[in-house]
Amino acid sequence: MKLSKYFRYTALLAIVLTGVFCMCMRVQAYSRLDVGRETSLSVFFGEDGKGFSGAEFRIYRVADVSDTVRYTLTETFEKYQISLEGLDSSGWRAAAETLSAYIARDSIAPEMTEITDQTGYAEFGSLNTGLYLVEGNPYKANGYTYWPESCLVSLPALDEEEDEWVYNVNAVCKYEKVPESQGTVSKKVIKIWEDGNESVRPEEVGVQLLRDGVVIDTVKLNKENNWQYTWTDLDDQGRWQITEYRIPERYTVSVVREGTCFIMTNTLQATNPAGRDEVLPQTGVLWWPVSLLAGTGMILFLAGWKKYNG
């Protein structure tokens, strides 16, 4: 009876180990992508299912990708101290907005430009794998201006339901809808430090205000002004953005806009050089648990065999 019970436990352990191994194999099946394969991107821009035609969209290839889903900022973008590691949805939104402002300020040429067709789609074909920033021009209709929201798109993208990489990606452009004329507006910037130690911070930082990619003003943020500043009487029809001028060493920067307020965050990096060799949410498999469980199972089996046959 005891021997039978032991073998039942051994069989159960074998089933568990098999299940773990199969799960790891399932993850491994889609963890590696074909970096040499051609990809494409289709961007829809419209409202209530009706597309806006004649809107210009641009894409910028901001990061390379390895077959194990490891991202590295391209040579053009590595000088901007922007991290792509461990981001949630709001973090990706901030990274896109931060990159967008530097692209506008420094007049970086896009990888490709397309115009939306009658159905509201902009089609980008024959693209290399990587991480792309999607940008669009504002569109005016029915007394409103539709401002496309910059976004980052991975090519290929992972279809989690099918557990496979999709090399022909479809994306829907989000936007901000505002009345065509509001008079003047104000914009505020607030600096946030994520470093846990005031002693390592610089005494001040420079922030540039951009209108349609042109630097309009540069201000200094410091403890005296509580690391914030407000601009007033700004043209409501311009595209207003901010960039950090001379980002402090060992810090990364991210900017997110909430209404009329820009939240600019500097995060102190421990060891990894900012913006290099970053990792997106990991889809690769960790094999050490399989070896550990398998080894533990073998030890238990041998110990039990010795007990009942010693």
Side-chain angles (χ1 to χ4, degrees):
M1 179 65 69
K2 289 185 178 180
L3 188 60
S4 176
K5 183 177 181 180
Y6 163 71
F7 277 113
R8 285 202 301 270
Y9 285 134
T10 303
L12 179 60
L13 178 61
I15 293 173
V16 171
L17 290 173
T18 301
V20 171
F21 180 79
C22 290
M23 287 176 64
C24 291
M25 288 297 292
R26 179 172 174 266
V27 173
Q28 181 70 9
Y30 64 73
S31 65
R32 292 185 178 273
L33 55 86
D34 184 355
V35 296
R37 183 170 170 179
E38 191 174 273
T39 71
S40 67
L41 174 63
S42 179
V43 179
F44 175 77
F45 182 40
E47 183 178 38
D48 299 329
K50 183 179 180 180
F52 298 144
S53 63
E56 180 183 295
F57 275 83
R58 302 169 299 281
I59 58 172
Y60 302 81
R61 189 171 179 275
V62 300
D64 300 318
V65 62
S66 70
D67 61 351
T68 55
V69 202
R70 192 170 185 85
Y71 284 76
T72 307
L73 291 174
T74 62
E75 183 178 354
T76 301
F77 292 95
E78 65 180 358
K79 62 183 177 182
Y80 304 114
Q81 294 164 226
I82 297 172
S83 175
L84 303 176
E85 185 176 8
L87 303 180
D88 55 14
S89 58
S90 61
W92 287 115
R93 177 169 166 257
E97 186 157 346
T98 308
L99 285 164
S100 174
Y102 285 115
I103 286 171
R105 187 195 68 179
D106 297 340
S107 302
I108 297 175
E111 180 92 2
M112 191 179 298
T113 299
E114 295 292 344
I115 305 298
T116 56
D117 58 21
Q118 293 297 320
T119 62
Y121 282 91
E123 305 287 349
F124 301 90
S126 302
L127 301 174
N128 293 326
T129 56
L131 187 67
Y132 287 80
L133 181 75
V134 180
E135 294 257 84
N137 284 355
Y139 183 86
K140 294 185 177 182
N142 304 317
Y144 290 92
T145 301
Y146 298 79
W147 292 88
E149 182 178 309
S150 303
C151 66
L152 287 166
V153 178
S154 176
L155 298 181
L158 179 63
D159 185 335
E160 296 183 356
E161 292 184 0
E162 298 296 331
D163 293 343
E164 62 182 12
W165 292 105
V166 177
Y167 290 82
N168 301 307
V169 178
N170 296 313
V172 176
C173 177
K174 296 181 179 180
Y175 54 81
E176 181 182 9
K177 179 181 178 180
V178 298
E180 284 190 14
S181 180
Q182 302 179 79
T184 60
V185 294
S186 64
K187 300 293 181 182
K188 182 177 183 178
V189 59
I190 299 175
K191 164 66 68 179
I192 294 177
W193 295 97
E194 291 189 353
D195 50 17
N197 187 353
E198 292 189 22
S199 65
V200 300
R201 299 174 190 170
E203 293 184 358
E204 62 180 18
V205 295
V207 176
Q208 299 168 314
L209 177 68
L210 282 63
R211 183 189 187 276
D212 300 327
V214 178
V215 177
I216 301 299
D217 190 24
T218 301
V219 299
K220 300 294 185 181
L221 301 184
N222 48 46
K223 294 180 70 173
E224 282 67 33
N225 56 25
N226 202 26
W227 301 100
Q228 55 187 281
Y229 186 84
T230 301
W231 294 272
T232 58
D233 298 323
L234 303 177
D235 177 12
D236 70 326
Q237 292 304 297
R239 186 186 186 191
W240 296 99
Q241 298 172 292
I242 65 169
T243 56
E244 184 163 10
Y245 180 63
R246 294 179 181 173
I247 304 168
E249 188 177 355
R250 289 183 60 201
Y251 282 89
T252 59
V253 61
S254 84
V255 178
V256 64
R257 183 172 60 85
E258 300 294 345
T260 61
C261 184
F262 294 97
I263 308 298
M264 175 179 282
T265 303
N266 281 128
T267 303
L268 182 65
Q269 301 299 293
T271 55
N272 190 37
R276 297 174 181 267
D277 215 20
E278 304 292 358
V279 183
L280 283 182
Q282 187 60 258
T283 58
V285 60
L286 295 176
W287 285 104
W288 68 264
V290 178
S291 301
L292 178 61
L293 290 172
T296 302
M298 181 60 70
I299 292 173
L300 291 174
F301 180 84
L302 292 175
W305 182 264
K306 181 178 181 181
K307 176 180 180 180
Y308 289 105
N309 294 275

